[in-house]
Amino acid sequence: MIREELAVACYCDIAGQIRGKGFPVSELDSRLASGVGWTPTNLMLTAFGPIANGPWGPFGDLILRPDADAEVRVDFQDGSAVEHFLLGDVLNTDGSPWDCCPRQFLKRAVEDLRAETGLQVLAAFEHEFYYFGAQERLGSAYNLDAIRRHGIFAEVYLAALRAAGIACDSYLAEYGPRQYEVTCEPARGVRSADHAVIVREIARATAQRLDSRVSFAPAVTPDVVGNGVHIHLSLLDGKGMPAAYDAEAPHGLSRIGGSFTAGILRHSRALCALTAPSVVSYLRLVPHRWSAAWNNLGFRDREAMVRICPVNEIGGRDLSRQYNVEFRAADATANPYLALGAIIRAGLEGLRQELPTPEIAACDPETLTVSERKRLGIERLPQSLDEALEALKADETARSWFPEQLLDAYLRHKGAEI
Ligand code: GLU
Ligand code: MG
């Protein structure tokens, strides 16, 4: 059969979906310069299909311009169509950034953090997902047999990720039936969010080649273990040296790392509207599901919203390069650019105000008295998307992170999804 390769320029929207337009691959160079036409109201497409009522209606035109640094081309060599897409930015027709482009929301946050503090964020999004093609097995967690029981999925997936330029750090069978987890190498700023999109899309592409499906839904069904997206974060100073670690500080968290984390905790209730932005996100964010239910900082505590992760001391390794904290109140229904951008904005507020390092509660916050929680500044995270959106509306500082039109579109979109 005759064939011609298609490349797709795309972006991640408010619904966390990847949408865009394709063109013949022979036109790639010209499309890298000029992009493809786009429509403002496309941003209002919900995860369920219908378009939320937005500010633009049928009016307006934009350009979606692919970024050559975010190109993915994977040939599965099974005769299926080449997986060729490029993530990009949404621009006005004069080439200026569109206020509502999620990728540029993150770019601005990264740039403001650098300009004000000289710091850069290094991040890795750790993903859990269900692979429906796996044979279920009782007691599957971490089980070698559970890996075996999902056939060649892992091998094809790792090869496809490698072809997409992403190195897998670890891969395992998670606690839930047919649940797996993939962690990839960290990357700086916008690149890390690009990687989050690519990790999800390549999992979907792999499953499709195997006539199956994956789901990153925070709760695939209400009763099974949730799929988290744990966002690992560390900071680099202007010379590229680790800035969140201080061997002398309690739990190794430097003054800078402490202020950054304190900012995240302070704005955590509003952040959930961006990091856990679906109705089903709140089936996962409940106590004792190893996700996060309170806005606390924990030391190696897998139910803390921000967890100080372990470092490997074997053989005198450099701890500063391993040191990171993990934001656990996120899932894959979130747009990774909006989620990371908002986390950086919250961290930057903490740095601006030189907030002290939050105190660590070395226990389950539920077991503390109300006054003890108050003293530690520990609050329950929102228990529904409605509550999270209200928290965002009520947090004047968090609202100021967004161009007016983006915030308006976001709130309307999520309202429609509810
Ligand atoms: N599945 C848990 C979540 O929803 C995380 C389990 C773990 O610690 O890896 O976040
Ligand atoms: Mg896990």
Side-chain angles (χ1 to χ4, degrees), residues 128 174 181 225-228 230 284 289-291 302 328:
E128 293 169 335
E174 249 292 356
E181 175 182 307
V225 180
N227 285 322
H230 304 157
R284 174 179 165 259
R289 281 188 73 141
W290 284 38
S291 57
R302 287 179 181 76
R328 294 177 70 88

Side-chain angles (χ1 to χ4, degrees), residues 304-341:
M305 186 188 77
V306 177
R307 173 175 83 120
I308 299 175
C309 293
V311 282
N312 185 332
E313 298 174 42
I314 297 174
R317 281 159 214 240
D318 180 3
L319 305 188
S320 66
R321 291 265 170 213
Q322 301 173 42
Y323 192 83
N324 68 94
V325 299
E326 170 192 59
F327 181 89
R328 294 177 70 88
D331 65 60
T333 62
N335 176 307
Y337 305 95
L338 295 178
L340 183 59

Side-chain angles (χ1 to χ4, degrees), residues 105 267-275 277 342 382 385-402 406-408 410-411 414:
F105 173 76
H267 296 288
S268 57
R269 286 178 48 81
L271 281 177
C272 285
L274 286 308
T275 61
L385 178 56
D386 257 326
E387 196 186 329
L389 295 173
E390 287 308 317
L392 173 59
K393 284 187 220 163
D395 185 335
E396 204 179 314
T397 306
R399 280 203 324 263
S400 75
W401 302 335
F402 298 87
L406 174 57
L407 185 64
D408 176 44
Y410 193 85
L411 293 172
K414 292 297 156 190

Side-chain angles (χ1 to χ4, degrees), residues 28 35 234-235 253 258 318:
L28 184 55
S234 56
L235 298 168
L253 190 58
D318 180 3

Side-chain angles (χ1 to χ4, degrees), residues 35 88 107-108 163 179 191 222 234 236 245 250 279 303-304:
K107 283 186 177 173
R108 287 192 297 271
Q179 190 187 29
R191 187 71 55 238
S234 56
L236 300 175
Y245 180 70
V279 171
E303 288 192 2

Side-chain angles (χ1 to χ4, degrees), residues 104-117 121 233 235 259-267 271 274 337-353 355 395 397-403 406:
Q104 288 174 97
F105 173 76
L106 174 56
K107 283 186 177 173
R108 287 192 297 271
V110 165
E111 181 45 31
D112 286 356
L113 177 70
R114 194 204 55 76
E116 282 185 44
T117 67
V121 165
L233 302 158
L235 298 168
S259 294
F260 191 85
T261 306
I264 295 174
L265 263 53
R266 177 168 289 186
H267 296 288
L271 281 177
L274 286 308
Y337 305 95
L338 295 178
L340 183 59
I343 288 171
I344 291 174
R345 287 278 173 211
L348 179 56
E349 299 291 347
L351 290 168
R352 280 180 186 147
Q353 294 170 42
L355 295 181
D395 185 335
T397 306
R399 280 203 324 263
S400 75
W401 302 335
F402 298 87
L406 174 57

